[in-house]
Amino acid sequence: MKVRRRGAGAAGAAVLSSGALLALALTGGSAAAAGTVHAATVSGAVPFAKAVFSGYGTGTEAHIGAVTLPGTSGGTATQVAGIDQAFSGAATKFGGDGAGVGLSTTIDSELGTVVAPGSLGGGVNAYGNGVGLQVGLGTSSPATSNTAQVQLAGLATQQAPPNGAPVVQSAGVPAGVPTAVASGGVLNGKATAFFDPTGCPLGQPISYGLGNATDLNALDLGALTGQSSLSGGPAIQLSGPAGNGTAESTSYTYLNANGDGTYALASQSTETIAPVTVNVAGALQLHLSVVTADGTGAPAPVTLTSTTTGEASGAKVAFSSAGIVQVSVTANGTTTPLVDVPLSDVGPTGLHIPLSVAGLQTAVSTLSSTVSSVVSSVNQQAGQTLTTALQGVQSVTSQVTGALGTVLSALPVDINLGSLDIDVSPHAIGQAATTPPTTTGGTSAGGALDLLHLTVAPQATINGTAVPTVTIADVALGHLETMAATAAPILCPLPIIKSVDKQSITAGDSFVYTIQVPDPAKLADLACDLSSVTATDTITDYQGSPVFQVTGASNNGTFTPATASTNATVTWTGLSYTRTVPPAAAAPPITLTVNVSTPASSPAGVIQDLVSATGTAANCKDFATGLTNLGGINGAVLAGSYTLQAPSVSAAPTAPAPTSTPPQLPHTGGTGGLWQPLGGLGALVLGGGALWALRRSRRLTP
């Protein structure tokens, strides 16, 4: 495992530079066929399906860097590449625009731990892991090269899509890890991942990992070296009994509300640091812890967050904690407090304590005069206000000075533990502690922090026995690392869907629209209740000029007009949606129906329906992780709409015309009656007889 190189600390025990003192004082839904989902319009914002973002978070409650230990009786040296207690990792990557770009490249922390392996592939967009303990072991032999091994205990991993139930694991120290390297311990891991390429996960993490450890010991020098005179207990006791001694780290990525109706990626890592004891052959113990201010001794959370907006500005990296860092030394059976100071008072350049006799002596002789001169200088420039502020700093440094003076007389001669750094200012990932974190406008942010960093290289002669050289390059307590990048603000509409019971009708028929809020296919996307839900359904003509009339609406919906028209509006107010707590089935969505009829005389065409709804997110909680109001979603007003072009209306067929009779010719003369045909017949007979008589007379005439 690789170890980051850190910047050199200031010389002197708990000596804050003049600049540090001055700074401290001065700062004090997808569409169905023929339907379309809509969201509010924000300049430059893109739908989730077209978003481009990536990020990760990782935390290691305690990291012991490379360790080289001597062999027993001239045997082969034991090498420990690194020990990580309570490790968590979470990562996400999405290329948007249907490209399916995912986690196809390995993501390593600056400590060399794997946050996400590159073997996941481009189809995986979210990955979480958590482990109670991981140990990198090596073997050394003159005839062969080192072979690295990684032993994991309590490892849980999950990837998405597809989405599944959280993965939880529990274990003890693996059998392959020598008890002299690590022993004891209840080790747990938990991981979840959720990703829907077509919908925003709100109020819940996209990826999440948790590592947890209790009662774990590491590096027993007596057992490793075979020298019973050095069996003063484990070199490092990483955590104490269950309760206040539980070490834990959680990391997660999530969508964060920008406050303007858009969202962007954020990543966060949070830890509780269990009390840690560094034991030097039983002669001296150094105790470190970060506790709450209520006097219970409970570990206080420390958090590092990287936030983006996707806009021109707003990206930031922030460390937060209300904890008190405590450092004490036990020598010759006497425990002496060394540091007891709120993290908020440490200052931007941190607290640097050399843990050697020579270093402590120098620090004691120079600390008082350094602080006094700075206070005097500031007092001349700014008066009593800054003097009062600096008095708090002076009391802290005076406290450390007095404690070190007591410890000096109890320390064995020539002992040198190294140094202790306490930092509260994040640095650029992979860079020295003095390098500021990286931010670019509102599109990217990244930083890392080792809250307590101990360089341990004990060299001493105790009771006439030389302590074998044991080099522990780094002990990082409270390592936090987060990164987030978002190319543009992300639109997250309230998921709504609408359907109709008939895709086509004939004029004179009726049909029913059904509206569902949220879309039942998107219930898992929203880890919140909805209050003050309103919906407006607008029905108009899309093609042609069909006529229709709303005849009823469920859930006390009101509608206008009351007569047939080419438009109508239905309104609902005061609705709410409440989720159920697992393992109960998800609560059904709000379901609204609209009854519509068409008159038989309606012209043909297509009817269009546009439903718009808003709702206020409330009681946001992810049941899988217990995180509440993640991303600041509580109180956010979610808005969405859905357009449906249906049904189509066909005109009613025209009624057939009645059967017609041939027209009668008009008659002429008289008033008509039965005599007319009879008279005509008689005339015809008489006429015929006259013609016969005429022809006969012509034949008889000579």
Side-chain angles (χ1 to χ4, degrees), residues 418-441:
S419 63
L420 171 65
D421 298 330
I422 303 174
D423 292 321
V424 295
S425 297
H427 59 264
I429 296 173
Q431 302 299 316
T434 55
T435 307
T438 303
T439 58
T440 303

Side-chain angles (χ1 to χ4, degrees), residues 36-347:
T36 306
V37 176
H38 302 278
T41 301
V42 176
S43 178
V46 298
F48 185 82
K50 294 183 179 295
V52 177
F53 57 83
S54 63
Y56 73 90
T58 183
T60 303
E61 186 272 345
H63 170 82
I64 302 175
V67 182
T68 301
L69 300 164
T72 59
S73 302
T76 301
T78 300
Q79 297 178 339
V80 180
I83 301 174
D84 292 289
Q85 173 180 257
F87 169 84
S88 64
T92 184
K93 185 177 182 181
F94 187 48
D97 221 5
V101 177
L103 295 166
S104 57
T105 304
T106 299
I107 299 175
D108 289 328
S109 75
E110 66 175 18
L111 297 179
T113 50
V114 178
V115 180
S119 58
L120 294 172
V124 175
N125 301 109
Y127 178 78
N129 64 25
V131 62
L133 174 71
Q134 60 182 13
V135 179
L137 295 175
T139 59
S140 179
S141 169
T144 62
S145 60
N146 293 341
T147 302
Q149 306 175 57
V150 177
Q151 301 287 334
L152 305 172
L155 173 66
T157 66
Q158 189 178 68
Q159 63 188 53
N163 300 316
V167 176
V168 179
Q169 299 288 346
S170 181
V173 174
V177 176
T179 56
V181 174
S183 63
V186 178
L187 310 166
N188 304 293
K190 183 175 182 179
T192 69
F194 180 89
F195 202 88
D196 177 2
T198 62
C200 298
L202 295 180
Q204 62 186 312
I206 298 174
S207 54
Y208 172 93
L210 176 147
N212 176 291
T214 300
D215 196 21
L216 182 68
N217 299 322
L219 302 181
D220 188 327
L221 295 184
L224 285 169
T225 61
Q227 299 187 36
S228 59
S229 61
L230 300 177
S231 59
I236 299 179
Q237 182 180 8
L238 289 177
S239 59
N244 290 352
T246 299
E248 185 171 282
S249 72
T250 57
S251 298
Y252 35 95
T253 62
Y254 58 96
L255 290 182
N256 188 63
N258 285 334
D260 58 1
T262 65
Y263 300 81
L265 188 70
S267 62
Q268 182 168 306
S269 289
T270 299
E271 294 176 351
T272 53
I273 299 174
V276 174
T277 297
V278 178
N279 178 50
V280 182
L284 180 147
Q285 294 83 39
L286 185 67
H287 313 284
L288 306 97
S289 60
V290 179
V291 299
T292 58
D294 57 10
T296 63
V302 295
T303 300
L304 184 69
T305 307
S306 290
T307 306
T308 61
T309 63
E311 300 172 352
S313 61
K316 61 183 178 180
V317 180
F319 170 78
S320 62
S321 177
I324 295 175
V325 59
Q326 294 180 336
V327 181
S328 61
V329 176
T330 299
N332 295 332
T334 301
T335 299
T336 303
L338 194 62
V339 176
D340 188 352
V341 58
L343 289 173
S344 58
D345 289 349
V346 169

Side-chain angles (χ1 to χ4, degrees), residues 96 103 133 167 274 401 429 484 492 519 595 619-620 634 680 691:
L103 295 166
L133 174 71
V167 176
T401 302
I429 296 173
C492 292
D519 179 352
N595 298 84
N619 304 318
C620 294
N634 277 343
L691 180 60

